[in-house]
Amino acid sequence: MKKETALLILGLGLTVLFWCCLSNPLALTEPFRKVEKTLTPTEVQKNLLLIKHPEVFGRLEYAPVLFNHLKHVKALEKEGCGICHPVDNNKNLRFVFPKEFLSVKDPEKLKDLYHQACIKCHQQKKLEQKPYGPVRFSCGDCHVNIYAYKDINYPKFDFDFVYHETHVKELDQKCEKCHHTYDLEERDKGKALKYIKGKEESCYYCHDFTKKRGPELTKILKIAQEKSLNLSQAFHGLCLNCHVELKKDGKKGGPIICSDCHKGEKRSLEDLSKAPRPERGQKEIYWMEFPKASKMKAVVFNHRIHQFTAQKCRDCHHERLEGCRNCHTLEGSPKGNFVNAVTAFHSVFSDRSCQGCHQKEINARKECLACHHLDKKETSRTEVASETTCVKCHIGRARSDIKNLKPYSGEIKSQIEIEVLSKEFEKATMPHQKIVKSLVAKTSGNRLAVYFHDKEETLCKGCHHKTNPEGKIKGQEVKCSSCHGISFDALHPERPRLQAAYHGQCIKCHEYLKIEKAMSCDSCHKPKKERGLFSF
């Protein structure tokens, strides 16, 4: 009896599972399948899109629909984009589908609109004896299960300085064709969008919904969200409408299909250096200072040089295209999200701060990490901020020119013999002078490095990181053993023992510089012929 009951329950369970899978064929396989996000070259060329809208439909009952956009563009070329896409109050196309998409948030209604718009068009094309798509109410014709495990993401298109300069010339310096700002004080909201000369900014400031903004931009972002003008809609609406209109007028227009822009190409800083930067009345030199900060001298900032070390203006000007101190005051203000000036300029945890950007540059260069691999973000504020380091930037209004880097002019021994740890091996010989000259050569080719290593003894701190190289002149020792003991010192757990200090410093440097020597013991140490009984 128990066996029959168990079989009955199993049969009922399988029946329920069968009907669940029949109504939702993705129920069994969806949790276990990996989503593929890479487009094949064929998919890119066909300009394929996936119709899924998770923000409306949530978890899909059926597989998303793979839509060949390029095929539809060619088939409907005579009718134009307006046959599928709606027009806003300014007679600009909104690149959404169906035409009622922006006003519909109900999943069932949106599903019905899709079915009506697509199938009705296909039926009409069939009557006209033209190429047409599915016309039957058969789900599997469009909702193919293999597309349930794809997520098509086109490469981001980077509108860089080269493209900007091209458009400036093509549009004959008419910046208002692209740039506008939203006036929160304007009572007539129909006139709130306006162009203000000298206030041209990136679209990202007002249309990038993924970023946390300050009070002013938060209000503008809210309005953009209400109008569904995210970055995709803002860029496509602005660019494609212009390109379409130019083609209508028989003029040379820009791309109107996905793959012509979204190629995944990105220019290097070297390529961008040939393109002029947008003019907003910026000066070549700025003095960064605060009247209330009387004890801290001004910092000279060469804006022109920095323009060519960044991919985009917003790499630094992350909120608005304004001076940093307009938002980041000494005390901190709501406009700057209470991030004060000290943090804004010195935070090593931000790529936009001066110190953070410089640290990022160091981390990107192996030749820098050879010495700087000991730098730690969590201790850099206390170690870097000192009487000698602050004055490198805070020079006051008396400018100092960058000098050519010179090697340390003090006494430099040609070789140094390290024998304090020689037990199993003979003493090690370090080519001290050769190392110093090599560091000078590797540093001289970088403007940033030359400025911060202009003092002769600065490079010495790469190895003598806790001592002042000038101390040798005063009769002080600068050997590693001055701080690092042969055995571990429990009173100073932050200090590795002497052997670890030597190996950590030398081997790590050689790894970054790809120097094969010192990768094994016998490359620096010759084994002793006779070893002590208790050698270790």
Side-chain angles (χ1 to χ4, degrees), residues 163-342:
Y163 284 118
H164 184 269
E165 179 63 14
T166 302
H167 282 72
V168 169
K169 291 178 179 178
E170 290 289 336
L171 298 173
D172 194 25
Q173 304 286 334
K174 294 179 180 177
C175 304
E176 66 274 11
K177 289 282 186 179
C178 301
H179 291 283
H180 52 255
T181 187
Y182 193 87
D183 187 0
L184 291 167
E185 303 298 325
E186 177 63 59
R187 292 185 178 182
D188 185 353
K189 297 307 175 186
K191 299 179 180 178
L193 205 65
K194 56 184 69 173
Y195 168 73
I196 303 175
K197 188 173 180 57
K199 291 291 183 181
E200 299 88 356
E201 292 181 325
S202 168
C203 306
Y204 279 82
Y205 291 135
C206 298
H207 297 280
D208 187 358
F209 299 161
T210 65
K211 301 291 183 183
K212 186 178 181 181
R213 301 295 189 186
E216 182 185 9
L217 281 183
T218 298
K219 293 177 183 177
I220 296 176
L221 277 170
K222 186 177 179 182
I223 296 168
Q225 285 175 316
E226 290 172 355
K227 297 182 177 182
S228 299
L229 284 169
N230 58 16
L231 277 176
S232 175
Q233 283 295 309
F235 278 127
H236 290 150
L238 184 66
C239 302
L240 290 179
N241 271 294
C242 182
H243 296 175
V244 169
E245 287 301 316
L246 287 172
K247 288 185 181 295
K248 279 184 180 179
D249 296 338
K251 298 178 182 178
K252 183 183 176 181
I256 58 171
I257 59 174
C258 312
S259 59
D260 284 349
C261 287
H262 298 276
K263 299 176 181 179
E265 299 174 351
K266 189 174 183 179
R267 289 186 178 89
S268 65
L269 278 174
E270 186 179 355
D271 296 330
L272 294 176
S273 65
K274 301 169 187 175
R277 298 300 190 260
E279 288 296 329
R280 273 280 310 267
Q282 63 267 36
K283 300 177 184 177
E284 181 177 341
I285 298 293
Y286 284 92
W287 288 99
M288 301 165 73
E289 58 186 337
F290 293 84
K292 293 182 180 179
S294 56
K295 293 183 179 180
M296 189 56 71
K297 293 181 180 179
V299 175
V300 61
F301 179 75
N302 192 318
H303 189 271
R304 178 171 177 77
I305 289 175
H306 283 76
Q307 279 185 154
F308 292 93
T309 59
Q311 294 278 355
K312 306 171 186 67
C313 299
R314 67 177 185 279
D315 286 351
C316 297
H317 300 279
H318 58 100
E319 182 76 7
R320 303 302 299 252
L321 210 56
E322 299 177 358
C324 306
R325 64 182 181 184
N326 289 359
C327 297
H328 300 293
T329 62
L330 281 176
E331 301 83 5
S333 67
K335 189 177 180 181
N337 284 330
F338 295 100
V339 176
N340 62 24
V342 175

Side-chain angles (χ1 to χ4, degrees), residues 375-444:
D375 294 351
K376 295 180 180 178
K377 285 187 176 182
E378 59 269 22
T379 59
S380 62
R381 177 61 59 82
T382 55
E383 291 184 355
V384 174
S386 66
E387 185 179 349
T388 56
T389 56
C390 293
V391 294
K392 276 303 302 168
C393 297
H394 294 271
I395 61 175
R397 286 193 172 249
R399 287 185 60 188
S400 61
D401 295 327
I402 295 176
K403 300 176 182 178
N404 292 327
L405 190 66
K406 296 180 180 179
Y408 183 53
S409 59
E411 182 186 350
I412 300 178
K413 289 184 178 180
S414 177
Q415 293 182 337
I416 294 176
E417 294 180 338
I418 304 170
E419 55 182 335
V420 65
L421 293 172
S422 58
K423 289 184 179 180
E424 292 186 7
F425 297 93
E426 298 287 349
K427 58 187 176 183
T429 302
M430 185 181 76
H432 187 249
Q433 196 174 84
K434 182 180 178 181
I435 291 172
V436 174
K437 289 181 178 179
S438 175
L439 290 175
V440 171
K442 290 181 181 298
T443 310
S444 298

Side-chain angles (χ1 to χ4, degrees), residues 12-25:
L12 288 171
L14 290 172
T15 303
V16 171
L17 185 62
F18 171 77
W19 285 107
C20 286
C21 292
L22 193 64
S23 61
N24 183 2

